[in-house]
Amino acid sequence: MTVFNTGPRAVTQNFNPSDIGYVKKSLGHYVRNTGDVDLVFLEVFRSPQFQDISLSDWLAHTPASLVAQHLNIEPSLVPGFPSDKPVIMPE
């Protein structure tokens, strides 16, 4: 799982069965299965209301020049980013 904050601050941690990870409120994160069996995990929220703001959705609604400048990439690469809010992506 990788958890990222504003700026160049991201932490990636590998987990094993029965491990517990924590993501602070409002921080972006993603989970990737690096094993060879199906990944099963449980998300628990301290709120009666769930809200999901996907990174791909956010990037799709931000001017390409701003995204490119922030990520230090060519603006021509930005339209190739997913814009359909993938929740689970197969390998």
Side-chain angles (χ1 to χ4, degrees), residues 64-81:
S65 59
L66 182 61
V67 173
Q69 182 180 11
H70 183 73
L71 298 178
N72 196 28
I73 61 172
E74 292 296 320
S76 61
L77 296 174
V78 177
F81 290 176

Side-chain angles (χ1 to χ4, degrees), residues 27-44:
L27 293 186
H29 62 282
Y30 66 90
V31 176
R32 180 175 180 189
N33 185 4
T34 58
D36 55 3
V37 297
D38 288 345
L39 170 67
V40 178
F41 70 100
L42 174 68
E43 290 184 279
V44 179

